[in-house]
Amino acid sequence: MPARPDRAPGVLESATPQDGSAFLTWLRAPRPAAEPGVWRFGHRPKPQEVAQPVPARQLLSGAVIAFLVGWLLWSLLWNGYLGGWWLLPLYAAIPDSWAEPHSVASVVVVYAYYAIIALAIMTAVGRLGRWGEVWRRYGTPAWRRAAPPPPPRHAPEEDPARWPHLRAAGAEAAADRLTAEAGAGLMRDVDHARISRAWHSVQAGRHAMGAFTESVLRDGAAACLHPSGNRDLPSRAARHDLVTAQVRLGTSADDQRNPYAYRGTGLALGPDLLGTSLLAVGPAGSGKTGRVVWPLAESLCLQALAGRAAVVVVGAAGSGLGPADDYDVIVRVGNPDSAYDIDLYGGATDPDEAAAVLAEALAGDLTQPHPGADSRRSTTVLAQLLGPFRAVHGRFPSVPELRELLDGAPAPLAALRRALEDEGQLGMVRELDARARQSGTSTDPGTVLADRVALLDRPAFSGFFDTSGQSRPFSLRSLDHPVRVRIDLPERGHADASRILARLVLAQFSMSVAARVDRSLFACLVVDDATGTITPESVRGIQRLRSAHAGVVLTLRTLDDVPRPLRGPLLGAAGCRMALSGVTPWDGQDFAEVWGKEWTETRDITDRQIVADEPLAKATHFVRKVITGKAPTAQSVTVRKVERERWSASELAHAVPPGHAVLSLTTVRGEHAPPLLVDLTG
């Protein structure tokens, strides 16, 4: 019987160590600087690019033939078949006094000359036969490369397990406690990342050093816990490295279209890349959710437990976005058992701000789809109703109340007017008068807004979007804390309502992260299937996220779900773009245009028939044609540089294998990686 495993399946060894050796090995592993997207854990930079290696059979046969040629040449010289001309330099250099036969001096000089000639012949044929390449490929250097390098040894003052930055700042006692916890196997990778994050906050002046030291001395590796009290996720589905904040998605294919430095290396993403936002496009079943969204959501949840990030994951209920234990807040819209509600107004207190966000959710997709369009008219209509209602009731209207106001029901509007007049709110009365004048006109967007609000005023959503304070609404204003949130949308039976809510969350996210005072936390919104959420305002919001230390991850089945005028701006706003296997040629054309062209070297080979003029040559060509059945031809090779697309639309549609994707990367510092063919299953 095989031995029983010592840990649960799916849990990394560094996450649940039995002793400190595994954790210390993980912590001390080299993580050299590398190109954007390279998995840095244990990465070895590739040597300088060399020419295409000679095939082994050709290399060995050439070396043997060169040796035989050298041997033959030496035999001909030694046996005198080529004459004695090669001995003339020897006779010219030997004095007459050394010419006595069998003298020691003459014997030494003669055999030394023979050795020089033999060495010259060996050097010449060795270069022709590539003996040096044979030695490097099959000799001792190859054995040395095959042997794994020894683990790096850190000086005591540089050993990360001894927390040198704490010791340098005078926190010797805290460093000793953490070192002992790591050696005893009581520390995990999340603990190390969380305490390191807390120490950076101390250095930045956001927390007191005394409180940090006291917490470490009291709790050890459990110091500075996440508010949930969790120190890790119940299980992990991907490989994570919390020192570099990376999650490994796959392996860069060993393909000629990939740059040499990326071939065969691990491909990973982190906040430095997600800060420019990621757009993934691929048909159903191509791996968007299981191989891209889930690993990224899991990584961001680990970062949140370490106090580094805040994440909001939006998707259809049951779409496989991770277990419920991975999240602090789960909003199940339309499920009566949901413990949390969603704040329809995003925690805003200003009527104009709340109206802008709600107008984007309700009618953002109806705005003219070009970058300069906006939804100001819908915002004005909502502001004319939200302001007076809040002035009277001290809160914003619920969904049924908002629907009645947008429909122009006489009773609610009359009651609202009387309350405003009684309180002397003449400015708000003028807002209602302006709304009354616009109501019923051909250009009034109130009717469309009322129809959209009616999609949320359904029996399935009764009890949700409450504004009376009786429920527990989640507001995206809380993204200045390391919170983990999952929002399950009722995709089945309420597809239009789900798209409205997805647009609402995206608009609230863009507004909230831009208004944060403390931007040290990385905030990320992950939207699985962003169909119907891309609007002119959302594209502008995505462009502003990089400066707010935030990003979004959007997935689409096809770019046809985005209005044609917005496809270019959307691909330009996303710094990381992924085309999975199975995209259509039309989608591939959009990716090919945004990835641009590059200069490549092409070889054109032309076959031309040889025309002989001499009788002997004609006879030879005739015999050759009879034997081979083909006319004698000669090849002409033309080498030139041309500008071609990095990935053409046809290649993206037909040359990307299943389970693969083509991914381009951009970091928040502006570093670029060209489109890479990535194996998402590796």
Side-chain angles (χ1 to χ4, degrees), residues 590-623:
D590 292 323
F591 278 100
E593 290 178 359
V594 75
W595 282 333
K597 300 180 179 181
E598 64 178 350
W599 289 98
T600 60
E601 188 178 90
T602 62
R603 297 169 60 90
D604 296 333
I605 301 177
T606 305
D607 290 337
R608 61 179 181 85
Q609 183 176 354
I610 302 176
V611 179
D613 297 330
E614 300 294 332
L616 181 60
K618 290 183 178 180
T620 304
H621 290 177
F622 176 77
V623 173

PDB file of all heavy atoms in Angstrom, residues 590-623:
ATOM      1  N   ASP A 590      -9.202  42.294 -34.144  1.00  0.00           N
ATOM      2  CA  ASP A 590      -9.075  43.390 -33.175  1.00  0.00           C
ATOM      3  C   ASP A 590      -7.813  43.231 -32.331  1.00  0.00           C
ATOM      4  O   ASP A 590      -7.105  44.214 -32.070  1.00  0.00           O
ATOM      5  CB  ASP A 590     -10.313  43.429 -32.281  1.00  0.00           C
ATOM      6  CG  ASP A 590     -11.564  43.842 -33.037  1.00  0.00           C
ATOM      7  OD1 ASP A 590     -11.447  44.709 -33.919  1.00  0.00           O
ATOM      8  OD2 ASP A 590     -12.646  43.299 -32.753  1.00  0.00           O
ATOM      9  N   PHE A 591      -7.521  42.009 -31.889  1.00  0.00           N
ATOM     10  CA  PHE A 591      -6.298  41.795 -31.124  1.00  0.00           C
ATOM     11  C   PHE A 591      -5.060  42.047 -31.987  1.00  0.00           C
ATOM     12  O   PHE A 591      -4.061  42.613 -31.512  1.00  0.00           O
ATOM     13  CB  PHE A 591      -6.268  40.371 -30.562  1.00  0.00           C
ATOM     14  CG  PHE A 591      -7.056  40.190 -29.305  1.00  0.00           C
ATOM     15  CD1 PHE A 591      -8.319  39.627 -29.336  1.00  0.00           C
ATOM     16  CD2 PHE A 591      -6.538  40.584 -28.082  1.00  0.00           C
ATOM     17  CE1 PHE A 591      -9.057  39.455 -28.175  1.00  0.00           C
ATOM     18  CE2 PHE A 591      -7.265  40.423 -26.911  1.00  0.00           C
ATOM     19  CZ  PHE A 591      -8.527  39.856 -26.961  1.00  0.00           C
ATOM     20  N   ALA A 592      -5.086  41.593 -33.236  1.00  0.00           N
ATOM     21  CA  ALA A 592      -3.936  41.790 -34.116  1.00  0.00           C
ATOM     22  C   ALA A 592      -3.659  43.272 -34.330  1.00  0.00           C
ATOM     23  O   ALA A 592      -2.496  43.701 -34.401  1.00  0.00           O
ATOM     24  CB  ALA A 592      -4.181  41.090 -35.450  1.00  0.00           C
ATOM     25  N   GLU A 593      -4.714  44.075 -34.419  1.00  0.00           N
ATOM     26  CA  GLU A 593      -4.511  45.514 -34.620  1.00  0.00           C
ATOM     27  C   GLU A 593      -3.919  46.173 -33.388  1.00  0.00           C
ATOM     28  O   GLU A 593      -3.033  47.027 -33.493  1.00  0.00           O
ATOM     29  CB  GLU A 593      -5.847  46.164 -34.986  1.00  0.00           C
ATOM     30  CG  GLU A 593      -6.364  45.787 -36.369  1.00  0.00           C
ATOM     31  CD  GLU A 593      -7.702  46.426 -36.663  1.00  0.00           C
ATOM     32  OE1 GLU A 593      -8.223  47.142 -35.780  1.00  0.00           O
ATOM     33  OE2 GLU A 593      -8.227  46.215 -37.781  1.00  0.00           O
ATOM     34  N   VAL A 594      -4.373  45.781 -32.196  1.00  0.00           N
ATOM     35  CA  VAL A 594      -3.866  46.443 -30.998  1.00  0.00           C
ATOM     36  C   VAL A 594      -2.451  45.975 -30.664  1.00  0.00           C
ATOM     37  O   VAL A 594      -1.670  46.716 -30.058  1.00  0.00           O
ATOM     38  CB  VAL A 594      -4.826  46.199 -29.810  1.00  0.00           C
ATOM     39  CG1 VAL A 594      -4.699  44.789 -29.271  1.00  0.00           C
ATOM     40  CG2 VAL A 594      -4.581  47.212 -28.693  1.00  0.00           C
ATOM     41  N   TRP A 595      -2.085  44.748 -31.063  1.00  0.00           N
ATOM     42  CA  TRP A 595      -0.726  44.262 -30.809  1.00  0.00           C
ATOM     43  C   TRP A 595       0.278  44.768 -31.833  1.00  0.00           C
ATOM     44  O   TRP A 595       1.493  44.687 -31.602  1.00  0.00           O
ATOM     45  CB  TRP A 595      -0.727  42.736 -30.774  1.00  0.00           C
ATOM     46  CG  TRP A 595      -1.239  42.187 -29.482  1.00  0.00           C
ATOM     47  CD1 TRP A 595      -1.189  42.805 -28.267  1.00  0.00           C
ATOM     48  CD2 TRP A 595      -1.901  40.935 -29.253  1.00  0.00           C
ATOM     49  NE1 TRP A 595      -1.769  42.013 -27.309  1.00  0.00           N
ATOM     50  CE2 TRP A 595      -2.214  40.857 -27.879  1.00  0.00           C
ATOM     51  CE3 TRP A 595      -2.251  39.873 -30.073  1.00  0.00           C
ATOM     52  CZ2 TRP A 595      -2.858  39.766 -27.314  1.00  0.00           C
ATOM     53  CZ3 TRP A 595      -2.895  38.786 -29.526  1.00  0.00           C
ATOM     54  CH2 TRP A 595      -3.196  38.724 -28.156  1.00  0.00           C
ATOM     55  N   GLY A 596      -0.196  45.254 -32.962  1.00  0.00           N
ATOM     56  CA  GLY A 596       0.690  45.895 -33.908  1.00  0.00           C
ATOM     57  C   GLY A 596       1.554  44.924 -34.695  1.00  0.00           C
ATOM     58  O   GLY A 596       1.304  43.717 -34.764  1.00  0.00           O
ATOM     59  N   LYS A 597       2.617  45.467 -35.286  1.00  0.00           N
ATOM     60  CA  LYS A 597       3.502  44.708 -36.172  1.00  0.00           C
ATOM     61  C   LYS A 597       4.934  44.765 -35.655  1.00  0.00           C
ATOM     62  O   LYS A 597       5.270  45.557 -34.779  1.00  0.00           O
ATOM     63  CB  LYS A 597       3.437  45.264 -37.601  1.00  0.00           C
ATOM     64  CG  LYS A 597       2.046  45.201 -38.225  1.00  0.00           C
ATOM     65  CD  LYS A 597       2.049  45.766 -39.630  1.00  0.00           C
ATOM     66  CE  LYS A 597       0.657  45.688 -40.261  1.00  0.00           C
ATOM     67  NZ  LYS A 597       0.653  46.215 -41.641  1.00  0.00           N
ATOM     68  N   GLU A 598       5.774  43.922 -36.229  1.00  0.00           N
ATOM     69  CA  GLU A 598       7.194  43.891 -35.888  1.00  0.00           C
ATOM     70  C   GLU A 598       7.987  43.514 -37.136  1.00  0.00           C
ATOM     71  O   GLU A 598       7.453  42.920 -38.081  1.00  0.00           O
ATOM     72  CB  GLU A 598       7.470  42.891 -34.772  1.00  0.00           C
ATOM     73  CG  GLU A 598       7.169  41.454 -35.141  1.00  0.00           C
ATOM     74  CD  GLU A 598       7.500  40.484 -34.033  1.00  0.00           C
ATOM     75  OE1 GLU A 598       8.145  40.907 -33.056  1.00  0.00           O
ATOM     76  OE2 GLU A 598       7.119  39.298 -34.152  1.00  0.00           O
ATOM     77  N   TRP A 599       9.285  43.860 -37.106  1.00  0.00           N
ATOM     78  CA  TRP A 599      10.162  43.529 -38.224  1.00  0.00           C
ATOM     79  C   TRP A 599      10.674  42.109 -38.049  1.00  0.00           C
ATOM     80  O   TRP A 599      11.203  41.752 -36.999  1.00  0.00           O
ATOM     81  CB  TRP A 599      11.330  44.505 -38.291  1.00  0.00           C
ATOM     82  CG  TRP A 599      10.932  45.884 -38.744  1.00  0.00           C
ATOM     83  CD1 TRP A 599      10.680  46.958 -37.966  1.00  0.00           C
ATOM     84  CD2 TRP A 599      10.732  46.297 -40.095  1.00  0.00           C
ATOM     85  NE1 TRP A 599      10.326  48.036 -38.736  1.00  0.00           N
ATOM     86  CE2 TRP A 599      10.358  47.663 -40.059  1.00  0.00           C
ATOM     87  CE3 TRP A 599      10.836  45.668 -41.327  1.00  0.00           C
ATOM     88  CZ2 TRP A 599      10.091  48.389 -41.199  1.00  0.00           C
ATOM     89  CZ3 TRP A 599      10.574  46.398 -42.477  1.00  0.00           C
ATOM     90  CH2 TRP A 599      10.201  47.740 -42.405  1.00  0.00           C
ATOM     91  N   THR A 600      10.503  41.305 -39.081  1.00  0.00           N
ATOM     92  CA  THR A 600      10.960  39.925 -39.052  1.00  0.00           C
ATOM     93  C   THR A 600      11.782  39.646 -40.307  1.00  0.00           C
ATOM     94  O   THR A 600      11.636  40.314 -41.338  1.00  0.00           O
ATOM     95  CB  THR A 600       9.781  38.939 -38.992  1.00  0.00           C
ATOM     96  OG1 THR A 600       8.945  39.121 -40.140  1.00  0.00           O
ATOM     97  CG2 THR A 600       8.968  39.145 -37.730  1.00  0.00           C
ATOM     98  N   GLU A 601      12.651  38.651 -40.204  1.00  0.00           N
ATOM     99  CA  GLU A 601      13.495  38.235 -41.324  1.00  0.00           C
ATOM    100  C   GLU A 601      12.846  37.061 -42.036  1.00  0.00           C
ATOM    101  O   GLU A 601      12.520  36.050 -41.406  1.00  0.00           O
ATOM    102  CB  GLU A 601      14.883  37.857 -40.815  1.00  0.00           C
ATOM    103  CG  GLU A 601      15.886  37.586 -41.928  1.00  0.00           C
ATOM    104  CD  GLU A 601      17.261  37.265 -41.389  1.00  0.00           C
ATOM    105  OE1 GLU A 601      17.528  36.068 -41.154  1.00  0.00           O
ATOM    106  OE2 GLU A 601      18.050  38.201 -41.166  1.00  0.00           O
ATOM    107  N   THR A 602      12.632  37.173 -43.328  1.00  0.00           N
ATOM    108  CA  THR A 602      11.994  36.121 -44.109  1.00  0.00           C
ATOM    109  C   THR A 602      12.983  35.586 -45.137  1.00  0.00           C
ATOM    110  O   THR A 602      13.882  36.303 -45.603  1.00  0.00           O
ATOM    111  CB  THR A 602      10.743  36.641 -44.825  1.00  0.00           C
ATOM    112  OG1 THR A 602      11.116  37.690 -45.742  1.00  0.00           O
ATOM    113  CG2 THR A 602       9.736  37.181 -43.831  1.00  0.00           C
ATOM    114  N   ARG A 603      12.806  34.337 -45.494  1.00  0.00           N
ATOM    115  CA  ARG A 603      13.633  33.667 -46.503  1.00  0.00           C
ATOM    116  C   ARG A 603      12.719  33.180 -47.619  1.00  0.00           C
ATOM    117  O   ARG A 603      11.839  32.353 -47.391  1.00  0.00           O
ATOM    118  CB  ARG A 603      14.397  32.493 -45.896  1.00  0.00           C
ATOM    119  CG  ARG A 603      15.378  32.898 -44.817  1.00  0.00           C
ATOM    120  CD  ARG A 603      15.898  31.674 -44.063  1.00  0.00           C
ATOM    121  NE  ARG A 603      16.582  30.756 -44.940  1.00  0.00           N
ATOM    122  CZ  ARG A 603      17.892  30.796 -45.210  1.00  0.00           C
ATOM    123  NH1 ARG A 603      18.643  31.735 -44.641  1.00  0.00           N
ATOM    124  NH2 ARG A 603      18.452  29.918 -46.019  1.00  0.00           N
ATOM    125  N   ASP A 604      12.927  33.701 -48.807  1.00  0.00           N
ATOM    126  CA  ASP A 604      12.168  33.287 -49.986  1.00  0.00           C
ATOM    127  C   ASP A 604      13.045  32.364 -50.824  1.00  0.00           C
ATOM    128  O   ASP A 604      14.145  32.748 -51.264  1.00  0.00           O
ATOM    129  CB  ASP A 604      11.743  34.497 -50.818  1.00  0.00           C
ATOM    130  CG  ASP A 604      10.790  35.400 -50.057  1.00  0.00           C
ATOM    131  OD1 ASP A 604      10.082  34.882 -49.179  1.00  0.00           O
ATOM    132  OD2 ASP A 604      10.774  36.617 -50.328  1.00  0.00           O
ATOM    133  N   ILE A 605      12.597  31.134 -51.034  1.00  0.00           N
ATOM    134  CA  ILE A 605      13.346  30.124 -51.788  1.00  0.00           C
ATOM    135  C   ILE A 605      12.651  29.925 -53.128  1.00  0.00           C
ATOM    136  O   ILE A 605      11.454  29.621 -53.187  1.00  0.00           O
ATOM    137  CB  ILE A 605      13.425  28.798 -51.013  1.00  0.00           C
ATOM    138  CG1 ILE A 605      14.109  29.032 -49.658  1.00  0.00           C
ATOM    139  CG2 ILE A 605      14.177  27.748 -51.811  1.00  0.00           C
ATOM    140  CD1 ILE A 605      14.164  27.793 -48.798  1.00  0.00           C
ATOM    141  N   THR A 606      13.406  30.100 -54.202  1.00  0.00           N
ATOM    142  CA  THR A 606      12.873  29.981 -55.556  1.00  0.00           C
ATOM    143  C   THR A 606      13.611  28.866 -56.285  1.00  0.00           C
ATOM    144  O   THR A 606      14.853  28.822 -56.285  1.00  0.00           O
ATOM    145  CB  THR A 606      13.030  31.302 -56.317  1.00  0.00           C
ATOM    146  OG1 THR A 606      12.417  32.352 -55.566  1.00  0.00           O
ATOM    147  CG2 THR A 606      12.380  31.213 -57.691  1.00  0.00           C
ATOM    148  N   ASP A 607      12.868  27.964 -56.874  1.00  0.00           N
ATOM    149  CA  ASP A 607      13.436  26.897 -57.694  1.00  0.00           C
ATOM    150  C   ASP A 607      13.352  27.298 -59.169  1.00  0.00           C
ATOM    151  O   ASP A 607      12.277  27.663 -59.663  1.00  0.00           O
ATOM    152  CB  ASP A 607      12.684  25.584 -57.486  1.00  0.00           C
ATOM    153  CG  ASP A 607      12.938  24.991 -56.115  1.00  0.00           C
ATOM    154  OD1 ASP A 607      13.973  25.325 -55.521  1.00  0.00           O
ATOM    155  OD2 ASP A 607      12.093  24.215 -55.636  1.00  0.00           O
ATOM    156  N   ARG A 608      14.490  27.203 -59.883  1.00  0.00           N
ATOM    157  CA  ARG A 608      14.503  27.495 -61.321  1.00  0.00           C
ATOM    158  C   ARG A 608      15.158  26.324 -62.053  1.00  0.00           C
ATOM    159  O   ARG A 608      16.094  25.689 -61.546  1.00  0.00           O
ATOM    160  CB  ARG A 608      15.257  28.797 -61.611  1.00  0.00           C
ATOM    161  CG  ARG A 608      16.710  28.790 -61.184  1.00  0.00           C
ATOM    162  CD  ARG A 608      17.388  30.106 -61.517  1.00  0.00           C
ATOM    163  NE  ARG A 608      18.793  30.094 -61.125  1.00  0.00           N
ATOM    164  CZ  ARG A 608      19.767  29.600 -61.901  1.00  0.00           C
ATOM    165  NH1 ARG A 608      19.474  29.093 -63.083  1.00  0.00           N
ATOM    166  NH2 ARG A 608      21.027  29.637 -61.486  1.00  0.00           N
ATOM    167  N   GLN A 609      14.659  26.064 -63.230  1.00  0.00           N
ATOM    168  CA  GLN A 609      15.185  24.957 -64.020  1.00  0.00           C
ATOM    169  C   GLN A 609      16.517  25.343 -64.643  1.00  0.00           C
ATOM    170  O   GLN A 609      16.701  26.459 -65.136  1.00  0.00           O
ATOM    171  CB  GLN A 609      14.182  24.561 -65.109  1.00  0.00           C
ATOM    172  CG  GLN A 609      14.610  23.361 -65.930  1.00  0.00           C
ATOM    173  CD  GLN A 609      13.555  22.943 -66.931  1.00  0.00           C
ATOM    174  OE1 GLN A 609      12.448  23.501 -66.931  1.00  0.00           O
ATOM    175  NE2 GLN A 609      13.873  21.983 -67.779  1.00  0.00           N
ATOM    176  N   ILE A 610      17.455  24.391 -64.606  1.00  0.00           N
ATOM    177  CA  ILE A 610      18.792  24.618 -65.173  1.00  0.00           C
ATOM    178  C   ILE A 610      18.756  24.270 -66.656  1.00  0.00           C
ATOM    179  O   ILE A 610      18.364  23.153 -67.039  1.00  0.00           O
ATOM    180  CB  ILE A 610      19.848  23.770 -64.446  1.00  0.00           C
ATOM    181  CG1 ILE A 610      19.845  24.106 -62.950  1.00  0.00           C
ATOM    182  CG2 ILE A 610      21.223  24.003 -65.039  1.00  0.00           C
ATOM    183  CD1 ILE A 610      20.787  23.240 -62.148  1.00  0.00           C
ATOM    184  N   VAL A 611      19.171  25.217 -67.468  1.00  0.00           N
ATOM    185  CA  VAL A 611      19.231  25.009 -68.918  1.00  0.00           C
ATOM    186  C   VAL A 611      20.691  24.807 -69.311  1.00  0.00           C
ATOM    187  O   VAL A 611      21.551  25.660 -69.056  1.00  0.00           O
ATOM    188  CB  VAL A 611      18.626  26.205 -69.672  1.00  0.00           C
ATOM    189  CG1 VAL A 611      18.716  25.985 -71.181  1.00  0.00           C
ATOM    190  CG2 VAL A 611      17.173  26.412 -69.254  1.00  0.00           C
ATOM    191  N   ALA A 612      20.988  23.637 -69.889  1.00  0.00           N
ATOM    192  CA  ALA A 612      22.365  23.294 -70.271  1.00  0.00           C
ATOM    193  C   ALA A 612      22.591  23.618 -71.744  1.00  0.00           C
ATOM    194  O   ALA A 612      21.703  23.425 -72.590  1.00  0.00           O
ATOM    195  CB  ALA A 612      22.627  21.819 -70.007  1.00  0.00           C
ATOM    196  N   ASP A 613      23.800  24.071 -72.064  1.00  0.00           N
ATOM    197  CA  ASP A 613      24.182  24.378 -73.443  1.00  0.00           C
ATOM    198  C   ASP A 613      25.154  23.348 -74.014  1.00  0.00           C
ATOM    199  O   ASP A 613      25.168  23.105 -75.223  1.00  0.00           O
ATOM    200  CB  ASP A 613      24.816  25.776 -73.517  1.00  0.00           C
ATOM    201  CG  ASP A 613      23.824  26.862 -73.116  1.00  0.00           C
ATOM    202  OD1 ASP A 613      22.613  26.660 -73.338  1.00  0.00           O
ATOM    203  OD2 ASP A 613      24.267  27.899 -72.562  1.00  0.00           O
ATOM    204  N   GLU A 614      25.976  22.776 -73.147  1.00  0.00           N
ATOM    205  CA  GLU A 614      26.971  21.816 -73.604  1.00  0.00           C
ATOM    206  C   GLU A 614      26.331  20.450 -73.812  1.00  0.00           C
ATOM    207  O   GLU A 614      25.413  20.062 -73.084  1.00  0.00           O
ATOM    208  CB  GLU A 614      28.108  21.708 -72.585  1.00  0.00           C
ATOM    209  CG  GLU A 614      28.844  23.010 -72.347  1.00  0.00           C
ATOM    210  CD  GLU A 614      29.587  23.463 -73.600  1.00  0.00           C
ATOM    211  OE1 GLU A 614      29.962  22.584 -74.414  1.00  0.00           O
ATOM    212  OE2 GLU A 614      29.769  24.680 -73.760  1.00  0.00           O
ATOM    213  N   PRO A 615      26.803  19.686 -74.795  1.00  0.00           N
ATOM    214  CA  PRO A 615      26.234  18.343 -75.043  1.00  0.00           C
ATOM    215  C   PRO A 615      26.368  17.410 -73.852  1.00  0.00           C
ATOM    216  O   PRO A 615      25.440  16.670 -73.530  1.00  0.00           O
ATOM    217  CB  PRO A 615      27.036  17.840 -76.251  1.00  0.00           C
ATOM    218  CG  PRO A 615      27.538  19.075 -76.911  1.00  0.00           C
ATOM    219  CD  PRO A 615      27.790  20.074 -75.835  1.00  0.00           C
ATOM    220  N   LEU A 616      27.543  17.461 -73.192  1.00  0.00           N
ATOM    221  CA  LEU A 616      27.732  16.578 -72.041  1.00  0.00           C
ATOM    222  C   LEU A 616      26.777  16.935 -70.907  1.00  0.00           C
ATOM    223  O   LEU A 616      26.192  16.056 -70.252  1.00  0.00           O
ATOM    224  CB  LEU A 616      29.188  16.651 -71.558  1.00  0.00           C
ATOM    225  CG  LEU A 616      29.530  15.758 -70.360  1.00  0.00           C
ATOM    226  CD1 LEU A 616      29.284  14.287 -70.700  1.00  0.00           C
ATOM    227  CD2 LEU A 616      30.994  15.971 -69.933  1.00  0.00           C
ATOM    228  N   ALA A 617      26.603  18.239 -70.679  1.00  0.00           N
ATOM    229  CA  ALA A 617      25.679  18.675 -69.628  1.00  0.00           C
ATOM    230  C   ALA A 617      24.243  18.296 -69.969  1.00  0.00           C
ATOM    231  O   ALA A 617      23.463  17.876 -69.111  1.00  0.00           O
ATOM    232  CB  ALA A 617      25.798  20.181 -69.419  1.00  0.00           C
ATOM    233  N   LYS A 618      23.875  18.412 -71.266  1.00  0.00           N
ATOM    234  CA  LYS A 618      22.525  18.017 -71.659  1.00  0.00           C
ATOM    235  C   LYS A 618      22.299  16.537 -71.432  1.00  0.00           C
ATOM    236  O   LYS A 618      21.233  16.109 -70.967  1.00  0.00           O
ATOM    237  CB  LYS A 618      22.292  18.367 -73.129  1.00  0.00           C
ATOM    238  CG  LYS A 618      22.182  19.862 -73.406  1.00  0.00           C
ATOM    239  CD  LYS A 618      21.889  20.117 -74.874  1.00  0.00           C
ATOM    240  CE  LYS A 618      21.727  21.611 -75.149  1.00  0.00           C
ATOM    241  NZ  LYS A 618      21.431  21.883 -76.595  1.00  0.00           N
ATOM    242  N   ALA A 619      23.314  15.737 -71.780  1.00  0.00           N
ATOM    243  CA  ALA A 619      23.174  14.297 -71.570  1.00  0.00           C
ATOM    244  C   ALA A 619      23.044  13.969 -70.082  1.00  0.00           C
ATOM    245  O   ALA A 619      22.241  13.118 -69.678  1.00  0.00           O
ATOM    246  CB  ALA A 619      24.374  13.569 -72.176  1.00  0.00           C
ATOM    247  N   THR A 620      23.848  14.662 -69.267  1.00  0.00           N
ATOM    248  CA  THR A 620      23.774  14.430 -67.822  1.00  0.00           C
ATOM    249  C   THR A 620      22.400  14.801 -67.281  1.00  0.00           C
ATOM    250  O   THR A 620      21.811  14.076 -66.468  1.00  0.00           O
ATOM    251  CB  THR A 620      24.862  15.238 -67.103  1.00  0.00           C
ATOM    252  OG1 THR A 620      26.135  14.890 -67.641  1.00  0.00           O
ATOM    253  CG2 THR A 620      24.845  14.966 -65.608  1.00  0.00           C
ATOM    254  N   HIS A 621      21.858  15.920 -67.712  1.00  0.00           N
ATOM    255  CA  HIS A 621      20.537  16.355 -67.251  1.00  0.00           C
ATOM    256  C   HIS A 621      19.447  15.395 -67.721  1.00  0.00           C
ATOM    257  O   HIS A 621      18.475  15.126 -66.993  1.00  0.00           O
ATOM    258  CB  HIS A 621      20.245  17.765 -67.753  1.00  0.00           C
ATOM    259  CG  HIS A 621      21.083  18.813 -67.077  1.00  0.00           C
ATOM    260  ND1 HIS A 621      21.025  20.149 -67.430  1.00  0.00           N
ATOM    261  CD2 HIS A 621      22.022  18.731 -66.098  1.00  0.00           C
ATOM    262  CE1 HIS A 621      21.881  20.836 -66.692  1.00  0.00           C
ATOM    263  NE2 HIS A 621      22.505  19.984 -65.888  1.00  0.00           N
ATOM    264  N   PHE A 622      19.635  14.852 -68.959  1.00  0.00           N
ATOM    265  CA  PHE A 622      18.637  13.902 -69.466  1.00  0.00           C
ATOM    266  C   PHE A 622      18.623  12.626 -68.632  1.00  0.00           C
ATOM    267  O   PHE A 622      17.564  12.111 -68.264  1.00  0.00           O
ATOM    268  CB  PHE A 622      18.938  13.593 -70.935  1.00  0.00           C
ATOM    269  CG  PHE A 622      18.030  12.551 -71.515  1.00  0.00           C
ATOM    270  CD1 PHE A 622      16.727  12.855 -71.876  1.00  0.00           C
ATOM    271  CD2 PHE A 622      18.483  11.235 -71.687  1.00  0.00           C
ATOM    272  CE1 PHE A 622      15.895  11.885 -72.401  1.00  0.00           C
ATOM    273  CE2 PHE A 622      17.647  10.269 -72.204  1.00  0.00           C
ATOM    274  CZ  PHE A 622      16.354  10.592 -72.569  1.00  0.00           C
ATOM    275  N   VAL A 623      19.806  12.115 -68.312  1.00  0.00           N
ATOM    276  CA  VAL A 623      19.882  10.910 -67.492  1.00  0.00           C
ATOM    277  C   VAL A 623      19.305  11.165 -66.098  1.00  0.00           C
ATOM    278  O   VAL A 623      18.569  10.340 -65.538  1.00  0.00           O
ATOM    279  CB  VAL A 623      21.338  10.413 -67.405  1.00  0.00           C
ATOM    280  CG1 VAL A 623      21.457   9.246 -66.418  1.00  0.00           C
ATOM    281  CG2 VAL A 623      21.833   9.993 -68.773  1.00  0.00           C
TER     282      VAL A 623
END
